[in-house]
Amino acid sequence: MNKSNNKLLQIADTLEHINEHLVLLAIDTEHYAMALQAVQTDDAISKGVIQAVIAALFRDSLFATDASEQMNSVLSMPEMEVTQHE
């Protein structure tokens, strides 16, 4: 295997590792948001803060999921031979 193919394999492995982290981030943020939904308070300000944090967590979960789907798309592209031009 030549250097270019080795480099491509290293990049693919790194991208797969990053993708795994994105999936875990999406799951964790969604779970945190769901946990906060269980918090009960009569204080209007506290309710507003909790709702804002829940919304931000769900938004971040969607962002991480979208980024993971894009990463999957990149990782599933067909392999191509890389030639170096000097």
Side-chain angles (χ1 to χ4, degrees):
M1 216 182 284
N2 63 34
K3 280 186 180 181
S4 296
N5 285 339
N6 282 337
K7 185 73 170 173
L8 284 175
L9 288 174
Q10 288 176 337
I11 291 169
D13 286 345
T14 300
L15 291 176
E16 287 178 10
H17 185 70
I18 292 168
N19 193 39
E20 289 173 11
H21 284 286
L22 287 169
V23 169
L24 292 175
L25 179 64
I27 292 168
D28 286 348
T29 53
E30 195 168 309
H31 287 167
Y32 298 147
M34 288 187 288
L36 278 175
Q37 288 176 329
V39 174
Q40 299 292 319
T41 182
D42 292 332
D43 180 54
I45 293 173
S46 295
K47 280 183 183 180
V49 170
I50 290 169
Q51 289 303 314
V53 172
I54 289 170
L57 287 168
F58 276 126
R59 183 192 64 237
D60 288 348
S61 177
L62 289 173
F63 173 77
T65 299
D66 184 52
S68 174
E69 289 170 359
Q70 290 177 27
M71 188 74 72
N72 281 331
S73 160
V74 169
L75 289 169
S76 65
M77 287 180 171
E79 282 187 37
M80 297 173 12
E81 180 85 19
V82 174
T83 56
Q84 190 169 3
H85 297 283
E86 295 182 35

